[in-house]
Amino acid sequence: MIRRLLARLMPGRPARKPRIYPPDQHPVRRTQLSAGARSVTRKLQESGFKAFIVGGAVRDLMLGRTPKDFDIATDAKPEDIKPLFRRAYIIGRRFRLVHVHAGAEVLEVSTFRAPQTGEDATDENGRLISDNVYGTQADDARRRDFSINALYFDPETESIWDYVGGVADVRARRLKLIGPPVTRYREDPVRMLRAVRLAAKLGIAIEPKTAAPIPKLAELIQNVPPARLFDEMQKLLLSGHAADTLKSLRAHGLHHGLLPLLDVILEQPMGGRFIDAALANTDERVRDDRGVSPAFLFATLLWHEVMVTWNAAKAAGEKPQPALFAAMDKVLDAQAARIAIPRRFEATIKEIWALQPRFEQRAGTRPARLLEHPRFRAAYDFLTIRAESGEAPAALVDWWTRFQDAGDEARAAMLKPDEAPKRKRSRSRGKRRKAGAAAEPSAAAGTPGDDTSGA
Ligand code: ATP
Ligand code: MG
């Protein structure tokens, strides 16, 4: 009675009872799950608990895509889950969940949670009041972001449990927030970025009511802690659909003032071609399952900022090398205020940048020494992108491509007469080395490297 009354008073509230879709009404099969996902759900169910595959994996399988990983939702509490598995670890402070290791896999097992609401979610010390943490399965569905992310697949019966109309939305290929959009974005502004990212990645449309408030609320992103923004940006940029996502961000008015990084990427007058080439290259690598290092990507995205700053300093009469290092620090510091690029990435980013001028030096022992540098490969891939965008001469990349694969003799023949640092006058302290033989390489071998950056 009371429940029905409440449901009428709160029309946004989803059904307490799910609509259950049997296997003949959807395409997901338990054979599509990983071995770990199957064994962990089976163990939980045998122990008398509910256990479902939930979230991105169900969504991806419904859409005919291969999931990245499998998350599990259960009514078992972390203390109940842990003893069931040999290698299980309770993690997380705000929300405690369990990482269960199964072979090489790590499965995230979380207890059904209730929606978190601002003040009553924490005590005066900011600690979560435990009674508020757990909820029913219906609560758990409702606290999720999009309806298509709130589907539960039961591996035992191969049925899908749907509390929020997610199956219909998958079929209609639309991304729809659960509940009132403005409220949901205010609760967590990162959902705006997620909306754009997921729609681009899945190739589906953002439902109009879900899309409408985004431009007006975009500035709320400013309240998100930098570390979380970094994670989200990393997901966005390494999704394999970065180019599309960024276009879509612009279309939704999310490109301006959101993050210094996005301003850099999306509003760069001179860097446009370079960024396009970098994103296309990254997307291609991700889709081909070749590794992409986040440091490399951030180095590309910020490179033109560095160039602009560096060129201005040089024009003002500063020495190139110190000016480059000063420019790098300046650009990274500007980012750090809003998005926490981890320190260990910063070191790599700087190395990649600092190596760029060294590609121009092709005389004496310098090229061989550059090849030995631990970041040579990354710096060379970076140079390739610079060439693709027309910023560096294609012949330079070509030279380095051949130089890497050439034998000692061919390398010696490739070396330029010692005049390379000519354009960078102030740097060369007359420490000239003896020149190599012929200026132009004759017919040096040119086997391309196995994972040379995209064409
Ligand atoms: P991806 O394929 O990119 O991993 P995903 O939907 O699986 O996409 P995750 O960050 O792995 O994204 O989140 C797992 C699930 O947790 C989501 O499917 C969603 O149900 C829920 N979720 C994630 N982020 C939020 C959020 N900001 N607000 C509410 N629910 C969220
Ligand atoms: Mg996921």
Side-chain angles (χ1 to χ4, degrees), residues 54-57 59-60 68-71 194 201 235:
V54 68
R59 172 199 74 209
D60 289 348
K68 262 198 332 241
D69 43 35
F70 295 91
D71 294 332
R194 286 179 57 85
K201 164 174 150 168
K235 273 196 169 188

Side-chain angles (χ1 to χ4, degrees), residues 27-28 32 57-67 170 173 202:
V28 186
Q32 294 173 291
V58 184
R59 172 199 74 209
D60 289 348
L61 289 171
M62 288 279 286
L63 289 166
R65 302 172 149 262
T66 310
V170 170
R173 302 183 67 80
L202 302 170

